[in-house]
Amino acid sequence: MRFEYSPAPESRAVVTLRDSYGLFIGGAFVPGSSVFKTISPASEEVLAEVTHAGPEDVDRAVAAARQAYERTWSAMPGRERGKYLFRIARLIQERSRELAVLETMDNGKPIRESRDVDVPLAAAHFFYHAGWADKLGYAGFGPSPRPLGVVGQVIPWNFPLLMLAWKVAPALACGNTVVLKPAETTPLTALLFAEICQQADLPPGVVNIVTGDGATGQALVAHPGIDKVAFTGSTEVGKEIARACAVSGKRLTLELGGKAANVVFDDAPVDQAVEGIVNGIFFNQGHVCCAGSRLLVQESVYDEVLAALRRRMGTLRLGDPLDKNTDVGAINSRAQLDKISELVSSGEAEGASRWSAPCPLPDRGFWFAPTVFTEVSQAHRIAREEIFGPVLSVLTFRTPAEAVEKANNTPYGLSAGVWTEKGSLILWMASRLRAGVVWANTFNRFDPSSPFGGYKESGFGREGGRHGLEAYLDATGNADV
Ligand code: TAP
């Protein structure tokens, strides 16, 4: 039986959009070299005009961050820095509805996710790192670890505010100052975060936000005034950045793409596993680096799992991301929609069998129906390449050893999932899967105290937890203070 729902849209009135946003440099919004427009991917309406930072703007931002580092932030006792982080965390909570609605408008993700996942987790990252600010000497990196200096941070569009929090909170807690570049298609919550920094009375220049495109990111990571680069994005751009930073003396961490295996054994509770499969690949339209985009099902339960999965996919509600009933929102941009469509066409052309949930797509905006491919071989592009969309590729296995071999047959190594009743099998699998995170009987769970990061082409360095602090500290005492 299918229930019809009345629309339950979240009000946009809580958000005050400016017509035009400047760059956030030295604690103030300032003009830059040119402007571009940011649109809603669900309706294609223009939301605001945003400033494009050219190399001279990046220069100003790095200079502001350097000054704040030397004069204020690196010299401030950790317990004082911690107070600012606590204040920011509380302001994120106070303004959570505004942040969630704005994130959904700019990114296209369902309000249910921005409200219940992105924004609470962003606040949690600031709370968690506020607690570390005066305890760094007990984190296991020597008695008096030093900050690194000015950090250049470049983030993607899939979790704009959350990725900002993952980057800014540990950097500030450790005594660094930052210049952050949000993605071109999702700058608005970073700019609202700049207002929150003002509201928290954060000393000018500790956080600087330069909006723009890939060229702005390039100018930032190549800038000689940067001591450390932290990048989250595609493996392709990550490799370029690694080349740009080579022999520069800059510290570097890269959080890149993924092609995670979600492995379902024949003793797993089917309904629970199907919820995990759906959450693993259709959460955030599949725009998730650690998405469970390769489903490995034990052959004996293949028919049962696939039937239950199709049934469940048929109930997913796609549409207005601001509607609280919506499960699947808009694809973030036309470029990403084109990329998903091209890879899906390759799957059909290479002989895999496609099934898409029968949901109507809105006339305007960028949309893609939740899709599953069966009869997939490991050689198919849809089994090897990151699609970064709501598309699942299903493969089968007979033995645990075969599951491990297939799961690890990828250049990536960010995450994996295991579904079974047997604790011993979970441990056996977890010790063999080459992935930074292995979830057992769950998927896409995040906590600021738990380190996250990849192996192989998924990058290096960890974010979150005690391990994540290491990326922002000099334990040798050699940092340029
Ligand atoms: P990218 O195209 O790599 O863009 C990421 C960021 O880098 C954007 O801000 C982008 O600016 C900027 N950029 C582009 N070219 C650059 C260059 N040459 N030098 C410096 N910066 C540059 O990735 P995306 O499409 O936004 O994001 C999707 C990718 O991110 C996926 O592969 C996904 O797996 C990965 N991701 C990984 C993680 C973790 S934790 N591993 C988390 C989320 C996403 P523009 O926006 O202007 O292009």
Side-chain angles (χ1 to χ4, degrees):
M1 188 192 296
R2 190 180 163 86
F3 293 99
E4 283 314 319
Y5 292 69
S6 299
E10 181 63 81
S11 168
R12 289 171 57 149
V14 66
V15 168
T16 311
L17 277 176
R18 300 188 205 172
D19 292 338
S20 181
Y21 289 84
L23 306 169
F24 186 64
I25 297 179
F29 285 95
V30 298
S33 42
S34 58
V35 291
F36 63 99
K37 291 182 171 45
T38 184
I39 64 166
S40 150
S43 64
E44 298 176 60
E45 82 182 282
V46 173
L47 295 173
E49 200 173 77
V50 179
T51 301
H52 179 274
E56 61 292 347
D57 303 315
V58 170
D59 224 22
R60 278 193 293 155
V62 173
R66 174 65 57 196
Q67 199 178 61
Y69 178 72
E70 283 170 2
R71 296 203 184 151
T72 328
W73 200 247
S74 65
M76 190 183 281
R79 63 179 179 281
E80 294 303 315
R81 287 200 309 270
K83 286 182 196 168
Y84 285 102
L85 273 92
F86 275 124
R87 208 178 288 168
I88 291 171
R90 282 196 300 268
L91 285 167
I92 291 175
Q93 286 185 323
E94 275 168 29
R95 300 181 71 169
S96 59
R97 194 149 158 243
E98 186 184 354
L99 283 162
V101 172
L102 187 61
E103 193 76 300
T104 285
M105 286 166 67
D106 205 19
N107 171 279
K109 65 175 67 203
I111 186 71
R112 220 159 35 83
E113 294 177 3
S114 48
R115 182 195 63 196
D116 298 347
V117 181
D118 297 51
V119 178
L121 269 177
H125 270 266
F126 278 94
F127 276 120
Y128 174 78
H129 287 98
W132 269 120
D134 63 349
K135 301 174 195 70
L136 297 172
Y138 306 97
F141 308 114
S144 46
R146 300 285 311 148
L148 296 171
V150 176
V151 184
Q153 307 183 317
V154 180
I155 55 172
W157 45 261
N158 57 342
F159 291 94
L161 182 72
L162 185 57
M163 290 298 107
L164 175 150
W166 280 28
K167 295 267 177 290
V168 173
L172 262 48
C174 293
N176 306 278
T177 57
V178 307
V179 180
L180 175 120
K181 190 203 91 68
E184 185 183 0
T185 56
T186 53
L188 294 182
T189 45
L191 293 164
L192 185 52
F193 178 78
E195 284 179 26
I196 288 175
C197 292
Q198 288 179 321
Q199 209 182 339
D201 269 334
L202 191 71
V206 172
V207 168
N208 303 274
I209 293 174
V210 288
T211 42
D213 60 8
T216 307
Q218 223 169 353
L220 179 58
V221 302
H223 197 287
I226 294 287
D227 300 298
K228 181 213 157 58
V229 171
F231 173 77
T232 296
S234 61
T235 295
E236 192 189 346
V237 174
K239 286 180 180 173
E240 234 178 89
I241 291 177
R243 277 192 290 272
C245 291
V247 296
S248 67
K250 288 174 192 161
R251 292 263 293 260
L252 176 65
T253 40
L254 297 173
E255 300 283 355
L256 309 176
K259 191 75 187 174
N262 203 0
V263 184
V264 178
F265 284 95
D266 59 6
D267 62 343
V270 170
D271 288 342
Q272 193 183 327
V274 164
E275 283 309 307
I277 296 163
V278 166
N279 172 40
I281 185 63
F282 301 123
F283 170 65
N284 202 32
Q285 296 72 246
H287 301 329
V288 183
C289 50
C290 50
S293 51
R294 283 184 301 147
L295 175 64
L296 300 186
V297 188
Q298 197 152 21
E299 242 175 51
S300 47
V301 288
Y302 174 81
D303 290 337
E304 189 188 351
V305 169
L306 260 288
L309 177 61
R310 288 202 182 105
R311 230 179 6 253
R312 178 68 180 89
M313 285 171 65
T315 67
L316 291 173
R317 306 178 68 84
L318 177 148
D320 180 7
L322 279 171
D323 190 321
K324 285 169 259 180
N325 296 319
T326 294
D327 299 306
V328 181
I331 300 301
N332 180 253
S333 64
R334 182 170 299 285
Q336 187 59 26
L337 180 58
D338 291 346
K339 185 185 158 198
I340 295 168
S341 306
E342 192 272 320
L343 272 159
V344 165
S345 304
S346 86
E348 289 173 314
E350 287 184 325
S353 167
R354 171 187 176 173
W355 183 84
S356 292
C359 50
L361 304 183
D363 299 332
R364 286 185 67 78
F366 316 127
W367 307 93
F368 203 91
T371 294
V372 57
F373 272 104
T374 48
E375 290 158 61
V376 178
S377 93
Q378 292 188 83
H380 289 161
R381 282 181 67 203
I382 53 168
R384 290 186 288 115
E385 295 180 29
E386 186 183 42
I387 301 175
F388 221 56
V391 181
L392 178 66
S393 301
V394 185
L395 297 114
T396 58
F397 67 92
R398 290 185 182 171
T399 63
E402 188 187 349
V404 168
E405 200 179 309
K406 285 186 168 166
N408 288 341
N409 184 13
T410 166
Y412 296 109
L414 196 54
S415 65
V418 180
W419 296 83
T420 169
E421 251 182 16
K422 292 189 197 74
S424 56
L425 184 55
I426 290 170
L427 295 174
W428 189 89
M429 290 290 291
S431 63
R432 285 162 179 79
L433 291 169
R434 290 286 291 164
V437 179
V438 179
W439 285 293
N441 294 328
T442 187
F443 209 92
N444 274 341
R445 289 233 173 215
F446 307 97
D447 189 285
S449 62
S450 174
F452 185 91
Y455 286 105
K456 304 192 282 185
E457 293 204 4
S458 292
F460 50 81
R462 293 292 178 265
E463 290 190 310
R466 193 186 64 80
H467 303 73
L469 299 171
E470 191 176 8
Y472 290 99
L473 287 173
D474 177 35
T476 64
N478 291 331
D480 186 17
V481 189

